[in-house]
Amino acid sequence: MKIFNTFEKATILIVDDNPTNLKVLSDAISSLGWEALIAIDGENAIEEAEYAQPDIILLDVMMPGIDGFQTCAELKKKSSTKDIPVIFLTALTDQFDKVLGLVTGGVDYITKPFNLDEVLARIQVHLKLSLLTKELEIKNQELDRLVEERTQKLSLTLDKLQQSQLQLVQSEKLSTLGELVAGVAHEINNPLNFVMGNLGFLRNYINALTQHLELYHQYYPNPVINITKNAKLIELDEILIDIPKVISSIDTGLERIHNISDSLRNFSRSDVSKKAFFDIHEGINSTLIILSYRLKGNKLRPDIEVIKDYGNLPLIECYPEQINQVFMNMIANAIDAIDELCQKVADVQNNKNYQILIKTVWKQEEELLIVTFKDNGLGMSVETQKQIFEQFFTTKPRGKGTGLGLSISRQIIEEKHNGRLRCFSVLGEGTEFLMEIPVR
């Protein structure tokens, strides 16, 4: 953009079909050190203005061909000439003509016969105005650029701050959760091992006592009346039949506690600092065992069915504890979505089968692991899907969610494992989360 002041050379285009006016004006302009360009009609004026880009145009109204008003209108239509100030020169004195000149884009109006000093003075005024306008435009552009730079810097700083905050929350959450789960598993194992060890002794003792009672019955088939009465009173025959069943039930319960304890220890593996080879299916199964109490039916819905469509996967090199945290978020969110749908359904006895489909696929040629979690719960709107991975965004009531689970999950998959986490959902039909983890 050309910047000038009144002491530098400016270019003035004079448009007039009168040779005398052209001579007088051009001589006066040249005497001030400015360059004078000449055009005798509107068509030539438009061409000259586009080529030379004058600083001001002195434009006669009454000319052969297109008049000054039309010429000005054409100049204002073109991007290359629309900002050039136009001063009308005319013998017309009608107020309507003056208004028409200003409406078509003129900045000033000088009536013929003109006073030369007045013309030069007005040219200087509009040169100064043009200068100030262009300087203001440059300042505005510089200001816009500075604002944009500051905004970008602030945005970058905010992104870094959010990432640091998210990493801090994630690290603290993983550390706290890992310590808590590992501590619970350890506390469970101590009494569990004690009970399981003593249950073996108890089983042997009961078997020995049962055999001893059978020997008594064999060699003393007719006991005294008090023993017979007491045997009927305590239902001895039923006790002897039920004792093995009770022992078997205790075995089953202890085995279940043992599986939960193993799942807790697997879930809380402390491999945060380095990658390790990990069985993805073991991680999913451990998470399902931990969340099994939430999968059970309640007053609003029946049991949630978990469908496992597992592919043949190799051990995957990853951060196991972080991957387990993603699995926990995915399955817990699926359960929440189903529960939210059940709360909105008027007829809770709709006999709908609520399901969570977990599918794993190994693409050997691409060395790519794909894991999907799909539920038939509440689903999400398009607007919600656009924000679902944003930090602190949640659709859950206050106190039910922090809005960090999915943002942390995306960071784990995409930043820690160079993968991708995507969401596909239809409101009222369900949601599917798909994660892709490249091994290399």
Side-chain angles (χ1 to χ4, degrees):
M1 180 182 295
K2 179 169 64 174
I3 295 296
F4 58 86
N5 59 49
T6 55
F7 301 101
E8 291 181 347
K9 186 174 182 180
T11 302
I12 314 298
L13 173 59
I14 309 167
V15 187
D16 200 320
D17 60 337
N18 187 316
T20 302
N21 291 339
L22 291 174
K23 179 72 169 68
V24 172
L25 289 172
S26 62
D27 288 346
I29 288 170
S30 299
S31 68
L32 294 178
W34 299 333
E35 181 181 3
L37 303 177
I38 293 174
I40 59 175
D41 56 42
E43 290 85 352
N44 289 330
I46 294 171
E47 293 180 4
E48 188 74 18
E50 286 189 285
Y51 173 75
Q53 292 292 299
D55 299 305
I56 284 183
I57 299 174
L58 297 179
L59 180 58
D60 187 21
V61 174
M62 304 301 294
M63 294 184 298
I66 62 174
D67 62 17
F69 296 141
Q70 292 175 293
T71 302
C72 183
E74 291 298 322
L75 289 169
K76 296 304 175 183
K77 288 180 182 179
K78 299 179 180 296
S79 60
S80 60
T81 58
K82 64 182 179 64
D83 293 326
I84 301 175
V86 175
I87 300 176
F88 283 108
L89 299 172
T90 182
L92 298 175
T93 57
D94 189 275
Q95 191 68 27
F96 174 78
D97 294 318
K98 293 184 178 181
V99 172
L100 181 59
L102 297 175
V103 168
T104 55
V107 297
D108 207 344
Y109 208 106
I110 299 176
T111 305
K112 294 180 179 179
F114 52 78
N115 180 286
L116 194 57
D117 291 334
E118 179 188 358
V119 173
L120 296 177
R122 295 205 183 189
I123 291 175
Q124 284 191 329
V125 168
H126 287 290
L127 283 174
K128 291 179 181 179
L129 288 175
S130 182
L131 170 65
L132 294 174
T133 300
K134 292 176 181 178
E135 287 182 340
L136 180 61
E137 184 178 347
I138 289 177
K139 293 295 183 183
N140 284 336
Q141 290 176 353
E142 291 178 352
L143 181 61
D144 289 342
R145 179 180 56 80
L146 290 173
V147 170
E148 184 177 356
E149 289 178 357
R150 294 281 180 89
T151 302
Q152 290 177 349
K153 289 180 180 179
L154 287 173
S155 178
L156 183 60
T157 302
L158 180 61
D159 287 342
K160 289 182 178 179
L161 180 61
Q162 289 178 334
Q163 292 299 323
S164 299
Q165 183 185 39
L166 189 61
Q167 290 176 357
L168 181 62
V169 171
Q170 177 191 340
S171 300
E172 183 66 24
K173 187 174 181 180
L174 282 173
S175 175
T176 303
L177 182 62
E179 292 177 3
L180 175 63
V181 172
V184 170
H186 178 72
E187 291 300 320
I188 290 176
N189 274 338
N190 285 336
L192 179 64
N193 292 331
F194 173 77
V195 173
M196 291 181 71
N198 283 284
L199 182 62
F201 291 113
L202 180 61
R203 182 185 295 105
N204 293 333
Y205 294 156
I206 291 176
N207 288 337
L209 288 173
T210 301
Q211 291 175 4
H212 191 71
L213 286 174
E214 289 176 349
L215 286 175
Y216 261 102
H217 185 70
Q218 178 181 352
Y219 290 103
Y220 297 96
N222 299 309
V224 298
I225 190 65
N226 287 340
I227 292 177
T228 301
K229 287 182 178 180
N230 185 259
K232 290 182 179 180
L233 179 65
I234 66 174
E235 298 180 340
L236 181 60
D237 292 339
E238 285 76 8
I239 288 176
L240 294 176
I241 294 173
D242 287 343
I243 283 177
K245 297 179 181 178
V246 173
I247 296 295
S248 178
S249 296
I250 294 174
D251 270 336
T252 301
L254 290 176
E255 183 180 359
R256 179 170 175 76
I257 296 174
H258 180 70
N259 290 337
I260 293 174
S261 176
D262 282 345
S263 298
L264 290 173
R265 285 190 290 108
N266 289 334
F267 184 84
S268 63
R269 291 181 58 179
S270 300
D271 303 306
V272 180
S273 60
K274 62 181 181 178
K275 287 187 175 182
F277 286 97
F278 181 56
D279 185 344
I280 293 294
H281 294 155
E282 179 184 294
I284 296 174
N285 292 336
S286 297
T287 307
L288 287 170
I289 290 175
I290 294 172
L291 291 174
S292 60
Y293 75 99
R294 293 199 59 197
L295 295 167
K296 293 179 180 179
N298 53 44
K299 62 181 180 180
L300 293 178
R301 60 162 173 79
D303 291 349
I304 298 175
E305 179 186 8
V306 177
I307 302 174
K308 301 177 185 177
D309 185 5
Y310 288 171
N312 186 18
L313 306 184
L315 295 178
I316 305 299
E317 190 176 13
C318 62
Y319 297 100
E321 187 175 24
Q322 295 184 13
I323 291 295
N324 279 338
Q325 185 182 7
V326 175
F327 294 158
M328 176 70 76
N329 287 334
M330 295 296 105
I331 298 172
N333 281 343
I335 297 172
D336 289 340
I338 291 174
D339 285 343
E340 288 177 26
L341 177 62
C342 292
Q343 291 176 356
K344 293 180 180 296
V345 174
D347 183 11
V348 295
Q349 304 297 329
N350 56 7
N351 296 321
K352 180 175 180 179
N353 293 324
Y354 295 104
Q355 298 175 339
I356 299 175
L357 171 63
I358 305 175
K359 184 176 181 179
T360 60
V361 177
W362 169 246
K363 292 188 175 181
Q364 186 171 359
E365 293 182 358
E366 302 175 36
E367 293 189 312
L368 183 69
L369 167 67
I370 299 176
V371 184
T372 59
F373 296 85
K374 186 176 182 179
D375 64 72
N376 59 348
L378 184 61
M380 290 179 282
S381 65
V382 176
E383 291 74 17
T384 299
Q385 291 180 62
K386 292 178 181 178
Q387 306 175 74
I388 197 66
F389 291 109
E390 294 180 5
Q391 295 180 38
F392 306 112
F393 175 80
T394 179
T395 59
K396 299 174 183 177
R398 178 173 294 184
K400 293 293 183 68
T402 62
L404 289 174
L406 288 177
S407 58
I408 288 176
S409 296
R410 169 170 274 188
Q411 185 185 58
I412 290 173
I413 297 300
E414 296 188 355
E415 296 184 19
K416 298 293 186 180
H417 295 86
N418 299 317
R420 185 163 61 159
L421 178 60
R422 292 180 289 169
C423 173
F424 307 94
S425 184
V426 177
L427 188 62
E429 296 184 13
T431 300
E432 178 181 10
F433 284 96
L434 186 148
M435 63 181 68
E436 298 175 342
I437 303 177
V439 175
R440 300 186 185 277

